[in-house]
Amino acid sequence: EAWERNLVQVAVEALKKEGIVVVMYITVLDEGLPPDILFGDTQFFPWQSNFTRQNPQFLSVDRSLPGAPRKYHYGVLEYAYPEVREYMLKMVTTFSDRFDFDGVFLSLRTHSPPPEHADQFGFNEPVVKAYQERYGRNILLQSFDLEKWRDLRGEYLTQFLRDVKGHLSRKGQKLAIGFPQGEYL
């Protein structure tokens, strides 16, 4: 009902009238879990995005050998896919274009189950292919330079952030980003 009654716009206008800066909040690493996956091995997660239900291939995957069952990092999309960057940009712009926000805050935290170990996920086909083209190594079958792999994956997320910033800048909206502390994202 809040959506049909346009209560978001009413709230944005009321806050701005009072001189309050209004920033949209969205998390971009939080697409939920299938109902048969327990969160923390103890409880069901209340939702999963339609996008990941319909496109599980875009979830970040582990380094399983070709032909072996892959583990998915449920809720976390792999930004190496142009379709993922396009989907998430549309998620941001659907709201940033419709409402008169002063800016957008992108949260890079997640409610998704954590990996079993660092660098467990991120071995999707476009990452494997790009790494092999650049460095001549198949990261599924050979040892590889972990820092180069991390940098490569970071390029895709950086491209997404540039796309968001470019869109918001054209509208005069600011971009803020929040991310967990640590050496790596």
Side-chain angles (χ1 to χ4, degrees):
E1 184 179 343
W3 189 256
E4 290 81 21
R5 294 179 58 201
N6 203 25
L7 293 182
V8 173
Q9 186 61 33
V10 170
V12 169
E13 289 172 2
L15 291 166
K16 290 183 79 117
K17 183 178 176 185
E18 295 300 320
I20 298 172
V21 173
V22 183
V23 177
M24 178 184 108
Y25 176 101
I26 186 169
T27 179
V28 295
L29 297 172
D30 223 352
E31 293 293 298
L33 307 174
D36 59 330
I37 304 294
L38 294 178
F39 183 79
D41 294 328
T42 61
Q43 59 192 7
F44 293 102
F45 201 75
W47 67 278
Q48 180 184 14
S49 72
N50 288 332
F51 184 78
T52 58
R53 271 197 298 264
Q54 296 164 2
N55 299 286
Q57 73 275 15
F58 294 140
L59 291 165
S60 189
V61 295
D62 73 347
R63 193 181 181 203
S64 299
L65 294 174
R70 310 277 323 251
K71 287 186 178 179
Y72 293 97
H73 194 180
Y74 288 106
V76 179
L77 294 168
E78 177 54 62
Y79 280 81
Y81 293 103
E83 296 92 339
V84 167
R85 295 190 305 271
E86 181 180 311
Y87 160 73
M88 287 308 301
L89 181 62
K90 184 174 180 175
M91 291 293 292
V92 171
T93 61
T94 293
F95 294 95
S96 68
D97 288 357
R98 180 171 176 176
F99 303 107
D100 191 24
F101 294 115
D102 295 298
V104 172
F105 178 86
L106 294 181
S107 174
L108 299 180
R109 68 182 286 263
T110 182
H111 293 93
S112 300
E116 296 167 12
H117 57 82
D119 302 315
Q120 178 181 359
F121 297 103
F123 295 90
N124 296 66
E125 185 269 331
V127 176
V128 173
K129 184 178 176 183
Y131 194 96
Q132 185 150 13
E133 287 173 359
R134 286 186 191 184
Y135 307 112
R137 312 265 319 154
N138 182 328
I139 62 175
L140 295 180
L141 303 174
Q142 298 173 292
S143 62
F144 62 95
D145 185 313
L146 189 60
E147 292 304 316
K148 288 179 181 175
W149 171 75
R150 288 172 174 161
D151 288 346
L152 174 62
R153 291 192 68 221
E155 289 176 24
Y156 301 115
L157 182 59
T158 299
Q159 182 58 54
F160 166 69
L161 297 174
R162 284 185 181 124
D163 293 344
V164 171
K165 174 123 175 94
H167 183 85
L168 297 177
S169 294
R170 288 188 291 278
K171 294 194 67 213
Q173 294 173 322
K174 298 195 183 284
L175 174 62
I177 303 170
F179 50 91
Q181 294 180 347
E183 298 283 325
Y184 300 96
L185 172 64

